[in-house]
Amino acid sequence: MLHGRGVPVLAGFDLQYKTYGWAEALAEAGFDVFMMDLQGSGLSPRPKMDDPCNLSKKDQQLLVPRPPGFTPCDPNYPYQLNNSDSDQAELHTVVKFIKRLCGVQQVAFVGWSAAAFTMGQYAQKWPENVESMFLLAPIFPPEATSTPPSHPLPLPGVPMSLSTRANTENAWNGELHSPGQREPGMVDVVWKAIMDSEPVGSTWGPPEGLNRVRNFVRWGWNRTTVAQSNALGGIVPVMIVYGEHDTTANTPASAPTSSDPELNFSVTELYDAIGPKNKLIVKVRGTGHEMPWEHQHQNLHNLSLQWLSDRKVLGTGRFVMNENGLISPA
């Protein structure tokens, strides 16, 4: 199980609150479950990210009133932290570890949001290691670049940005369009879980703390590269699930299209780009990008359980799931 861009893996997949623990539900069903924080996220090492100088000047303004005595400064490491190659190399190390530990030849992938960048490209390079892939709300820019930056890596910039509790709540609120979609008090529950994986950011800024988000350089995840091999939807079966209110993984039709193709996303275009043999997509009613923390979370757990058990839900194709967990052809 691999996290997205800004949420550490334990807060995303193993939220210890009522029935929200997705990893726990899979483990209780008999699966060996492993969760991974990439370098720069959660409880994994965060090189260069303990230094508040390694933030943009804008983010440095959030460091009030902590750490005490902080004054704006130039970055001591003026580069971005990770890139597509390093992320895939880290995942490869973990896959090899799991294969040795469990005595298996393949590992099933479960990824949320920006995890698609790493898991999708990995499955294309090493399909023999991947049993299947379950992608929740995958980030997919159809027209993104296929080639690494011409500037030698590491790319200039800063290794991290900051996210606030207000950022989390406001983005989530923007996707609440169904009655009872989110249980009262969930923002506080989720933010506490994020801070539990934030030993340094929790001591910065306002009393509720700040979330350090790694900056990474990505390439090679677009409609051209996805269609170049028989891996996704061929050798590796793929199931995609997304919420009907999700405007994080889907650029809204009503919003102006960004001039940067890296920032225009479409879940359905990823499904279209994947090979035709072994793929399935399910739109879930009454939920958004934060499905693991919303009313539909147990239906999400059940979908993944069924997929991991037999790699089938209702065959291949496009489906819709309602608030009661009933699935029908789209």
Side-chain angles (χ1 to χ4, degrees):
M1 305 187 89
L2 184 64
H3 60 88
R5 180 174 181 270
V7 176
V9 75
L10 291 177
F13 288 102
D14 199 36
L15 187 67
Q16 290 300 294
Y17 182 70
K18 297 185 178 180
T19 58
Y20 287 87
W22 188 358
E24 187 172 15
L26 296 179
E28 288 178 347
F31 290 97
D32 295 323
V33 183
F34 296 82
M35 291 173 282
M36 175 184 179
D37 273 317
L38 288 163
Q39 179 180 235
S41 180
L43 298 178
S44 283
R46 301 199 194 192
K48 311 300 182 181
M49 292 175 66
D50 290 353
D51 183 354
C53 290
N54 289 330
L55 290 162
S56 69
K57 288 301 194 321
K58 180 180 179 181
D59 278 339
Q60 288 184 26
Q61 296 174 13
L62 298 172
L63 299 175
V64 178
R66 305 177 300 172
F70 172 79
T71 57
C73 43
D74 292 328
N76 294 311
Y77 183 78
Y79 303 99
Q80 299 194 51
L81 186 64
N82 311 73
N83 61 63
S84 290
D85 285 345
S86 67
D87 284 353
Q88 290 167 55
E90 288 181 34
L91 179 57
H92 191 46
T93 298
V94 171
V95 167
K96 290 189 292 184
F97 167 79
I98 295 171
K99 287 175 61 177
R100 288 195 304 270
L101 182 68
C102 296
V104 297
Q105 295 301 309
Q106 294 182 311
V107 174
F109 282 175
V110 178
W112 183 10
S113 193
F117 287 112
T118 304
M119 285 184 157
Q121 289 182 273
Y122 181 94
Q124 289 185 286
K125 290 183 179 179
W126 291 286
E128 66 277 9
N129 289 340
V130 185
E131 180 185 74
S132 65
M133 187 153 55
F134 184 100
L135 295 177
L136 171 64
I139 302 295
F140 180 70
E143 301 296 336
T145 183
S146 297
T147 56
S150 56
H151 187 287
L153 296 171
L155 204 67
V158 289
M160 61 178 167
S161 60
L162 293 176
S163 179
T164 67
R165 183 194 178 284
N167 294 149
T168 300
E169 182 170 15
N170 292 338
W172 196 350
N173 287 348
E175 295 185 357
L176 296 180
H177 302 293
S178 294
Q181 184 174 333
R182 182 179 71 199
E183 182 179 347
M186 284 303 295
V187 175
D188 288 332
V189 170
V190 167
W191 187 255
K192 180 184 182 301
I194 292 173
M195 289 297 97
D196 286 345
S197 289
E198 242 303 1
V200 174
S202 59
T203 68
W204 284 359
E208 64 267 23
L210 296 166
N211 183 28
R212 294 171 296 164
V213 179
R214 70 194 189 104
N215 289 336
F216 64 102
V217 186
R218 52 181 168 83
W219 64 86
W221 182 240
N222 56 54
R223 67 160 58 94
T224 301
T225 57
V226 165
Q228 282 177 344
S229 73
N230 186 41
L232 301 183
I235 301 171
V236 180
V238 179
M239 180 173 184
I240 298 172
V241 177
Y242 71 103
E244 68 167 326
H245 304 319
D246 189 338
T247 55
T248 302
N250 290 300
T251 303
S254 59
T257 301
S258 171
S259 59
D260 185 352
E262 303 288 342
L263 301 178
N264 292 320
F265 306 136
S266 173
V267 173
T268 55
E269 289 203 46
L270 172 59
Y271 177 79
D272 291 339
I274 290 173
K277 294 181 180 179
N278 296 308
K279 65 178 181 178
L280 170 68
I281 187 169
V282 179
K283 177 193 284 189
V284 182
R285 301 293 189 193
T287 193
H289 196 70
E290 318 299 351
M291 199 184 311
W293 304 326
E294 294 186 352
H295 171 72
Q296 288 276 41
H297 68 276
Q298 286 185 293
N299 287 332
L300 172 65
H301 299 173
N302 292 335
L303 277 177
S304 64
L305 281 168
Q306 190 171 350
W307 172 256
L308 291 169
S309 297
D310 58 17
R311 295 197 294 277
K312 293 179 182 179
V313 177
L314 288 175
T316 60
R318 302 172 187 263
F319 298 87
V320 173
M321 186 174 75
N322 69 13
E323 287 85 346
N324 297 318
L326 298 176
I327 302 174
S328 58

